[in-house]
Amino acid sequence: MPKLDFDIITLGHGSGGVLTNKLLDSGVFDLLTNDILEERHDGAIINMNEKIAFSTDSFLVSPIFFPGGNIGELAVNGTVNDLAMCGAVPKYLSLSFILEEGLKMTEFWEVLVAIKFACENANVKVVTGDTKVVEKGKGDKIFINTSGIGNVHPKANIGKTRIQIGDKIIVSGNIATHGMAIMSIREGLEFESTIQSDTTNLNHTIINLIEQFGNDIHLLTDPTRGGIATVLKEIALTSDFGVDIFQRDLPMDDQVASACELLGIDPLYVANEGLFLSFVDASIANSFLEVLQNDKNGKNAKIIGSVVDTHPNQVILESSIGGKRVVSMLPGEQLPRIC
Amino acid sequence: MPKDSHNTYQIKISGQVQGVGFRPFVYNLALKYQIRGTVSNNEDGVAVYCNSSKKKVADFLSDILNHKPETAIITTYSIIDLPYIEYNSFEILPSEINKKINIPLTPDFAICNNCKTELSEAANRRYHYAFTTCVHCGPRYAITNKFPFERAHTTMDDFIMCDTCKMEYKAPTNKRFHSQTNSCSSCGIQLQLTTNSAEVITKNQIDCIDDVASFIIKGNIIAIKNTSGYLLCCDATNRDAVITLRKRKKRPHKPFAVIYSSLEAVKKDFNPSIHEERMLQSGVAPIVILQNTKKTAIAVNAIAPNINQTGVMLPSSALLELIMQKVGRPIIATSGNLHGSPILSEEKEARKKLEKVADYFLNHNLNIQFPQDDSVVKFADSHKLVLRRARGLAPNYIEAKAISKEPVLAMGAHLKSTFTFVPNTQLYVSQYFGNLENFDVLERYKTAIDQYIELFQTSPKTILIDRHAQYESSILGEELASKIGAKIYPIQHHKAHFASVLGENQLFTSNKKILGVIWDGVGLGDDNQVWGGEFFTYHNSKIERLTHFEYYDWIANDKMSTEPRLALFSLLNDKNLVKNKFSETEWSIYTKTITKNTLITSSVGRLFDAVASALDIVDVNTFEAEAAIQLENCASSYAGNHFTDFLDGFDYDKIPSQYIIETITKTYRKGGAKEQLAYSFIYTLAMAIIKIAQKNHIDTIACSGGVFQNSLLTEILIKEAEKQTLILNLNRELSPNDENISFGQFMYHQHIKN
Ligand SMILES: [Fe+3]
Ligand SMILES: [Mg+2]
Ligand SMILES: [Zn+2]
Ligand SMILES: [Zn+2]
């Protein structure tokens, strides 16, 4: 971290004036440097050919530092992954901060460094950005918005309409990890568990799969907020097929599973970060799985279910003892339903 | 022709008057009175047109009212003068159709005594015919396709009556005159016995019964298709067979019901009260929960582990009657389904789902439209507590008149789901379906709603749902409302419970203030907390929350409902008292999460759980409500009179949940007797109701909610209310549990103007 003559963020840092420049000059630019950013123009001018994917996401997470990562890399990976889910090679990001007055400069710096490394890992550049500061109490340390663009891979052909009856659904790894990592901190259980967030960039993994399986990959999606249940239900609702998944096939870390069990939390609804679901043609499901399992982001990948025509719009979880459970989208927090 | 019969009268009778032998009854009575005219079923019930003198028709009508068929229920009748039309004879006319239907849906009736006798008379046409029915008995609702109740509108339409059956059907003096379900072994429903791999063993009707009986005696498990759905059966005196059934059904602890061949056989094992006897023998033939005795000779520990009671019933159909006669000992009969799924009724599906559970299948070819579980009833002294309302009870609700201007569908709750449909001035409360989180249950529930809409050719204009948006019934209600453009209203759970008991006791018009005591496990409150120990007042069409059990922490989501030790943990100030009930990890997690917890509850259901755990009775439930059942069991075994009201001298502004639990826990640790403490706990709760009524100067009390399934609480309450001359109202035809929510939602919507 560079030497600074301030150690907390003040309202002035968001004024757009001297203090803002000071904040940026004193390292932000050095840290995230690239040609386009160095232009310091009102916006970035970039050359993009062919089909482009464009995505945006805002990140609010409390606490901003958690086992396995912080809000900075979450912000980069989140948008990178959203682009990857479109079958795109992520290229450029915008980065906007809303900082809360009083944020420690050291914390801000740690987030920035995480952003830098996340960008390097994902091979993307921050080309434009913004910083605002809100009064103490009006924010929660740091809010980040990132938007990103990238070229859609020529072999990618991804969309909800491409899903077919019989498609296999593959999850790339252990579920519910990120959400439970955050939960363990929030509930003060950090000493009870070593659950780490799974946040990571998935773009290289995805592009590799697209290159090999191209057209047979029908849909890619990352089950972040609302977990696997919400994503699957959303997909089922906007189509005329149903989804069957099998409880015994859901990969889960033992610690995560027992934390969920103890706290009465349904892992299907818990947020994931470095995880994706693939709907692929049944004919390639096994070879797809094999390739994925050889990737560092797919060691625990598993086929968890399939697309069916028997119960349109419904997602059904078959339990280990054979019962079939209806999976719905939960409006809001889980509330007890059992009498 | 005498002058005085130059009058024509129209008599209209409504209520449960179709499918109960009403027309043949009126016909025979008309012959007796030498009255000419017609009788027919119509959209409102039964209509009679006749020539008669004024005097004679009055006698005729009073004879109808006084000697109506046993299973008929008359709600209204009218008689008017009409311009003279001449009739030459008395005739039963076919039903008028294509009008809006406004009559009850007749429930299924258990086999009557006459039919039972015929089954065992070697010379009788119906000797050993497994589907013997008459105008007084047999399936009705289970086989209904359409209104009114005519053979052509039921699945009996698949069978064409032979000449002899037709003759019976046409002969006014025959007891099967106009019996819509009439059939015999040569023209009727056929049995077929197969192995679980679908190999046919026999199609011979008598062999089917004989073989099933001998398989049961040998210790096998048989899936028997009764007229309301499949039952899984085995020898109730064979412990191994019962345990095998448990294993295969993946149902380790939850009690099974037992069928006895006759009341005499029941009396060999139990001491049923007169109320219980009557209920067992009624046309409903429900499961009646009886207290075990020393002479109980079945495998009680396998049938209902650790519970001192057994669910007992008598054969509900000719088929079961024949099997029971042959087996000669009590058998287990549990709904044919997989863990948590709805009762099966279709052969192929049953085979697929039960092939690993049953060794043999006894099938038949009558289609079942509305599969239903057996109803379950328990008595608190003379008060009938309905625990599950299904076969024989559903779906009519005759006592409450609906005054809705437009068709209403009330979606009910989640775990014990029912719906209430009000297409006209009749009110239909569906049978119990089960937990809607189970896909098959949800499908069954949805299908039944569609069937009702079809049956009555009426789409709801208003849909009522629970305030808890995560109930599957609420989600479905929202979907349905937006699909058909109906209005939708969410209704708070406990207020719906209150409205159910107000509605069942016709209390909405009361000009006195009524105290509503609504206690259950979980319901989402108006403050978004978990309610369950509520005191309301009803006055002038308004419901207000008077007070409640003091809030305590709700932790670990739905897990809190299945682990009584968590309720105890939450309620104790000195949590170290229960440290031994948790592993080290659990302990360190729960002690931390509780400090950050924001969800709070007034649940009395969880209070029962906490006491069960405090007394080391149950720490973790193995089936729903286990702790509450075991606690009641324990308390009921207390024979002394040294019980205490823990709240004696308190001010009753709120009920101190924590104090009660702390007191019980500490007294028990000091050597207090479990039974005495359990009894005192229930007594304390009953007294709280009395005290709160008195403190607020209210003399009419209405109680509802799952907690009032507790017969000991109900018994104490009835006694204490009587002592203090308080008027106590309980649910009557409906269960106090969440099965009454749909009815309550409708009643709330009709009557409450908050
Ligand atoms: Fe309830
Ligand atoms: Mg996203
Ligand atoms: Zn009969
Ligand atoms: Zn016949």
Side-chain angles (χ1 to χ4, degrees):
Chain A
M1 183 165 139
K3 270 217 160 0
L4 295 170
D5 53 4
F6 49 87
D7 53 12
I8 56 162
I9 296 288
T10 60
L11 283 174
H13 288 118
S15 65
V18 184
L19 269 177
T20 310
N21 282 327
K22 218 169 179 178
L23 174 68
L24 298 176
D25 287 338
S26 61
V28 176
F29 275 87
D30 287 347
L31 207 55
L32 302 176
T33 186
N34 61 64
D35 308 351
I36 306 173
L37 189 66
E38 284 305 332
E39 288 285 321
R40 299 203 181 195
H41 193 47
D42 287 1
I45 299 168
I46 42 193
N47 246 325
M48 301 284 285
N49 301 318
E50 306 296 320
K51 239 196 231 171
I52 288 170
F54 180 30
S55 182
T56 187
D57 216 334
S58 298
F59 298 82
L60 349 154
V61 59
S62 178
I64 57 172
F65 299 99
F66 46 82
N70 68 43
I71 190 170
E73 56 196 298
L74 214 57
V76 173
N77 292 338
T79 293
V80 161
N81 291 347
D82 282 348
L83 290 171
M85 296 307 133
C86 305
V89 181
K91 274 258 165 65
Y92 303 111
L93 297 185
S94 71
L95 174 66
S96 295
F97 291 110
I98 293 173
L99 306 178
E100 188 188 18
E101 184 188 7
L103 173 70
K104 282 195 198 113
M105 209 40 218
T106 49
E107 292 189 320
F108 183 52
W109 198 257
E110 198 177 334
V111 169
L112 275 176
V113 171
I115 289 173
K116 172 193 161 73
F117 286 117
C119 286
E120 279 175 17
N121 288 339
N123 196 21
V124 292
K125 290 173 178 162
V126 171
V127 293
T128 183
D130 182 45
T131 306
K132 295 279 176 352
V133 179
V134 294
E135 278 169 54
K136 199 164 179 59
K138 298 231 164 120
D140 191 3
K141 290 193 169 179
I142 306 183
F143 298 151
I144 305 178
N145 173 275
T146 54
S147 297
I149 53 174
N151 283 110
V152 176
H153 193 284
K155 281 190 177 169
N157 186 6
I158 286 164
K160 279 183 193 163
T161 51
R162 295 216 53 233
I163 299 176
Q164 290 168 15
I165 306 299
D167 276 6
K168 292 289 173 206
I169 303 168
I170 296 165
V171 68
S172 65
N174 288 341
I175 66 163
T177 318
H178 174 74
M180 292 313 288
I182 301 285
M183 171 80 74
S184 68
I185 296 293
R186 264 191 229 163
E187 300 280 325
L189 312 177
E190 59 269 43
F191 304 112
E192 310 310 325
S193 83
T194 54
I195 302 171
Q196 303 265 315
S197 164
D198 60 351
T199 179
T200 189
N201 60 301
L202 296 166
N203 53 323
H204 306 309
T205 307
I206 300 278
I207 295 305
N208 178 33
L209 288 165
I210 288 173
E211 270 169 0
Q212 294 193 50
F213 299 100
N215 214 37
D216 285 326
I217 303 175
H218 298 156
L219 187 76
L220 297 167
T221 176
D222 60 342
T224 50
R225 253 190 321 166
I228 292 201
T230 307
V231 164
L232 290 177
K233 182 70 184 178
E234 256 166 17
I235 292 170
L237 275 179
T238 54
S239 64
D240 46 12
F241 51 73
V243 165
D244 272 345
I245 50 175
F246 299 90
Q247 191 166 37
R248 61 167 186 275
D249 294 333
L250 291 172
M252 218 187 313
D253 172 78
D254 286 348
Q255 274 197 62
V256 172
S258 77
C260 284
E261 214 286 312
L262 281 170
L263 297 169
I265 291 169
D266 185 342
L268 285 181
Y269 293 94
V270 175
N272 306 280
E273 282 297 334
L275 194 76
F276 65 100
L277 291 170
S278 315
F279 287 65
V280 304
D281 201 277
S283 62
I284 60 135
N286 286 327
S287 28
F288 182 97
L289 183 66
E290 205 174 306
V291 173
L292 183 50
Q293 283 172 339
N294 284 319
D295 189 287
K296 72 172 168 46
N297 291 324
K299 286 193 291 287
N300 297 312
K302 212 137 187 209
I303 299 178
I304 57 165
S306 51
V307 175
V308 298
D309 58 358
T310 42
H311 41 76
N313 302 334
Q314 296 265 36
V315 178
I316 305 302
L317 174 76
E318 202 163 300
S319 81
S320 315
I321 58 163
K324 289 180 179 173
R325 207 189 92 193
V326 181
V327 177
S328 305
M329 233 183 291
L330 284 192
E333 295 275 296
Q334 286 180 45
L335 283 168
R337 299 194 290 185
I338 299 181
C339 234
Chain B
M1 186 174 301
K3 266 202 300 226
D4 63 359
S5 51
H6 276 247
N7 294 322
T8 297
Y9 293 97
Q10 178 205 54
I11 300 173
K12 281 191 160 180
I13 298 166
S14 46
Q16 181 171 295
V17 290
Q18 297 189 0
V20 294
F22 215 94
R23 287 180 298 170
F25 158 72
V26 169
Y27 179 94
N28 280 311
L29 212 56
L31 294 193
K32 186 174 135 198
Y33 279 83
Q34 295 184 303
I35 284 174
R36 288 161 288 113
T38 63
V39 59
S40 61
N41 282 345
N42 69 6
E43 71 278 11
D44 295 310
V46 166
V48 182
Y49 293 87
C50 61
N51 296 145
S52 164
S53 68
K54 199 170 180 176
K55 163 92 179 59
K56 202 198 261 180
V57 80
D59 292 345
F60 177 56
L61 177 59
S62 77
D63 218 344
I64 292 176
L65 301 177
N66 292 329
H67 299 105
K68 64 176 175 62
E70 204 180 315
T71 46
I73 302 169
I74 296 173
T75 51
T76 58
Y77 62 89
S78 63
I79 179 162
I80 54 169
D81 261 305
L82 289 182
Y84 185 66
I85 316 163
E86 185 164 322
Y87 296 101
N88 296 316
S89 60
F90 199 90
E91 272 180 84
I92 295 182
L93 296 184
S95 297
E96 304 165 29
I97 40 165
N98 293 330
K99 288 193 179 173
K100 282 268 178 195
I101 303 303
N102 198 7
I103 48 169
L105 261 169
T106 311
D108 300 335
F109 298 115
I111 181 169
C112 72
N113 286 331
N114 273 330
C115 287
K116 271 188 199 171
T117 311
E118 287 182 69
L119 281 183
S120 51
E121 291 170 344
N124 197 289
R125 288 193 66 226
R126 289 196 170 69
Y127 180 62
H128 277 190
Y129 176 51
F131 300 92
T132 300
T133 62
C134 70
V135 292
H136 302 300
C137 75
R140 302 288 189 267
Y141 176 57
I143 57 170
T144 299
N145 280 323
K146 247 198 260 175
F147 271 125
F149 190 77
E150 292 283 353
R151 189 185 187 95
H153 297 166
T154 70
T155 55
M156 275 306 289
D157 196 34
D158 298 348
F159 304 89
I160 297 164
M161 276 189 258
C162 67
D163 290 345
T164 322
C165 282
K166 228 178 262 164
M167 255 168 49
E168 292 173 336
Y169 182 84
K170 286 185 177 157
T173 52
N174 194 290
K175 60 181 139 233
R176 293 194 173 78
F177 178 46
H178 261 262
S179 171
Q180 305 302 325
T181 52
N182 198 28
S183 67
C184 71
S185 53
S186 62
C187 67
I189 303 150
Q190 299 296 309
L191 289 169
Q192 185 192 59
L193 180 64
T194 75
T195 64
N196 54 5
S197 50
E199 269 171 74
V200 177
I201 295 172
T202 178
K203 290 183 176 182
N204 177 298
Q205 305 301 289
I206 292 177
D207 290 350
C208 278
I209 305 283
D210 289 353
D211 288 359
V212 163
S214 71
F215 289 145
I216 289 177
I217 290 166
K218 277 184 202 143
N220 289 302
I221 293 162
I222 327 284
I224 297 174
K225 186 180 177 190
N226 198 14
T227 44
S228 45
Y230 277 88
L231 295 173
L232 285 164
C233 300
C234 72
D235 182 353
T237 63
N238 181 340
R239 193 170 175 277
D240 292 344
V242 179
I243 285 170
T244 305
L245 177 57
R246 284 207 176 282
K247 277 194 195 131
R248 293 193 195 163
K249 227 190 152 193
K250 291 173 184 148
R251 175 167 151 161
H253 306 282
K254 197 177 166 194
F256 287 137
V258 183
I259 309 184
Y260 280 77
S261 57
S262 65
L263 186 63
E264 288 62 49
V266 173
K267 284 178 163 173
K268 276 186 196 144
D269 277 6
F270 303 92
N271 299 321
S273 72
I274 183 71
H275 305 289
E276 290 164 341
E277 277 185 24
R278 278 196 202 127
M279 199 69 230
L280 281 166
Q281 292 181 292
S282 71
V284 179
I287 296 168
V288 180
I289 311 279
L290 299 179
Q291 201 63 37
N292 291 351
T293 66
K294 283 194 189 111
K295 53 188 185 172
T296 309
I298 49 176
V300 282
N301 289 330
I303 293 168
N306 303 319
I307 294 171
N308 213 7
Q309 298 173 330
T310 307
V312 169
M313 68 177 146
L314 295 179
S316 59
S317 64
L319 175 62
L320 292 179
E321 173 72 20
L322 287 171
I323 293 171
M324 291 312 297
Q325 282 175 12
K326 207 75 209 174
V327 178
R329 58 182 86 169
I331 68 170
I332 300 290
T334 179
S335 296
N337 59 13
L338 287 178
H339 184 83
S341 293
I343 184 167
L344 296 160
S345 66
E346 205 266 318
E347 188 177 327
K348 259 197 211 139
E349 207 192 345
R351 163 127 36 234
K352 206 175 105 196
K353 299 205 163 140
L354 300 178
E355 65 178 353
K356 294 204 175 91
V357 182
D359 300 305
Y360 301 97
F361 285 76
L362 182 61
N363 301 311
H364 61 71
N365 57 347
L366 174 67
N367 278 325
I368 298 169
Q369 286 298 300
F370 291 100
Q372 300 152 81
D373 294 288
D374 294 314
S375 292
V376 183
V377 168
K378 192 165 82 170
F379 281 86
D381 282 336
S382 63
H383 177 73
K384 178 181 79 188
L385 272 167
V386 176
L387 301 186
R388 183 166 73 195
R389 183 176 168 277
R391 181 187 49 72
L393 293 174
N396 291 332
Y397 199 93
I398 291 174
E399 286 183 17
K401 275 283 158 216
I403 45 166
S404 180
K405 274 183 243 107
E406 51 177 30
V408 179
L409 172 65
M411 304 296 287
H414 180 78
L415 196 63
K416 295 191 183 298
S417 57
T418 63
F419 61 82
T420 290
F421 191 48
V422 187
N424 45 46
T425 64
Q426 298 291 331
L427 199 151
Y428 307 88
V429 183
S430 77
Q431 69 273 27
Y432 152 93
F433 291 96
N435 184 353
L436 292 178
E437 197 176 87
N438 178 297
F439 172 67
D440 297 314
V441 175
L442 184 64
E443 288 298 293
R444 179 70 59 84
Y445 168 87
K446 271 190 198 167
T447 309
I449 289 176
D450 291 344
Q451 280 172 304
Y452 274 55
I453 290 173
E454 178 68 29
L455 201 60
F456 295 96
Q457 310 248 303
T458 303
S459 229
K461 291 267 190 303
T462 293
I463 293 179
L464 309 175
I465 57 172
D466 195 278
R467 211 182 157 269
H468 196 321
Q470 295 169 13
Y471 281 0
E472 290 301 330
S473 57
S474 306
I475 295 171
L476 185 66
E478 295 265 12
E479 264 173 43
L480 207 59
S482 73
K483 199 168 88 189
I484 60 181
K487 285 165 282 183
I488 187 151
Y489 300 100
I491 292 169
Q492 202 278 323
H493 187 89
H494 301 91
K495 292 178 180 170
H497 270 311
F498 188 19
S500 85
V501 61
L502 289 171
E504 280 215 275
N505 293 281
Q506 271 106 31
L507 291 171
F508 284 108
T509 50
S510 160
N511 43 29
K512 284 198 288 187
K513 205 180 239 188
I514 295 163
L515 176 68
V517 182
I518 312 301
W519 293 352
D520 67 0
V522 178
L524 187 61
D526 287 336
D527 57 0
N528 288 328
Q529 300 298 356
V530 182
W531 288 11
E534 310 309 307
F535 294 87
F536 297 106
T537 57
Y538 169 80
H539 192 51
N540 287 337
S541 304
K542 281 197 167 63
I543 289 180
E544 260 148 57
R545 194 184 190 202
L546 179 68
T547 182
H548 56 88
F549 276 70
E550 238 168 40
Y551 281 135
Y552 54 97
D553 282 298
W554 185 283
I555 53 170
N557 230 311
D558 276 334
K559 197 180 165 76
M560 174 118 158
S561 297
T562 60
E563 299 198 356
R565 61 180 184 156
L566 285 176
L568 178 61
F569 172 80
S570 164
L571 278 154
L572 287 175
N573 254 331
D574 182 3
K575 303 206 183 304
N576 281 313
L577 284 175
V578 289
K579 195 169 177 193
N580 63 326
K581 291 185 190 279
F582 296 90
S583 76
E584 237 169 83
T585 320
E586 287 169 343
W587 183 252
S588 73
I589 286 186
Y590 294 132
T591 46
K592 278 180 195 133
T593 53
I594 204 156
T595 62
K596 309 236 170 175
N597 183 54
T598 52
L599 196 61
I600 47 181
T601 185
S602 53
S603 169
V604 175
R606 296 300 81 81
L607 226 55
F608 273 81
D609 288 355
V611 175
S613 179
L615 301 180
D616 294 325
I617 296 170
V618 177
D619 285 333
V620 175
N621 281 353
T622 57
F623 60 90
E624 195 218 322
E626 182 181 8
I629 294 171
Q630 303 268 21
L631 184 70
E632 180 182 348
N633 209 28
C634 173
S636 302
S637 62
Y638 179 64
N641 48 15
H642 296 287
F643 47 85
T644 11
D645 176 356
F646 298 122
L647 298 181
D648 200 19
F650 275 68
D651 67 3
Y652 290 96
D653 280 341
K654 267 188 190 170
I655 312 290
S657 318
Q658 285 207 343
Y659 173 80
I660 297 174
I661 300 305
E662 298 259 352
T663 308
I664 292 173
T665 308
K666 287 180 179 154
T667 316
Y668 175 63
R669 299 285 163 110
K670 278 189 216 135
K674 270 184 206 194
E675 292 76 12
Q676 187 185 5
L677 284 166
Y679 191 99
S680 295
F681 167 66
I682 293 173
Y683 178 72
T684 301
L685 293 191
M687 288 314 290
I689 297 174
I690 305 288
K691 298 269 178 70
I692 286 197
Q694 290 171 332
K695 180 186 160 106
N696 291 280
H697 311 288
I698 304 176
D699 68 4
T700 307
I701 308 170
C703 302
S704 185
V707 167
F708 293 97
Q709 292 175 107
N710 187 304
S711 52
L712 182 62
L713 173 66
T714 308
E715 276 167 27
I716 299 176
L717 194 54
I718 292 172
K719 222 178 286 164
E720 293 299 328
E722 211 175 87
K723 263 195 224 162
Q724 307 297 330
T725 59
L726 296 169
I727 304 157
L728 180 66
N729 295 279
L730 300 165
N731 284 106
R732 299 156 72 96
E733 300 306 316
L734 302 178
S735 168
N737 70 31
D738 282 4
E739 284 182 38
N740 75 38
I741 289 290
S742 66
F743 175 82
Q745 288 167 340
F746 175 73
M747 285 293 154
Y748 184 97
H749 182 70
Q750 285 290 292
H751 298 283
I752 300 301
K753 320 235 150 18
N754 264 42

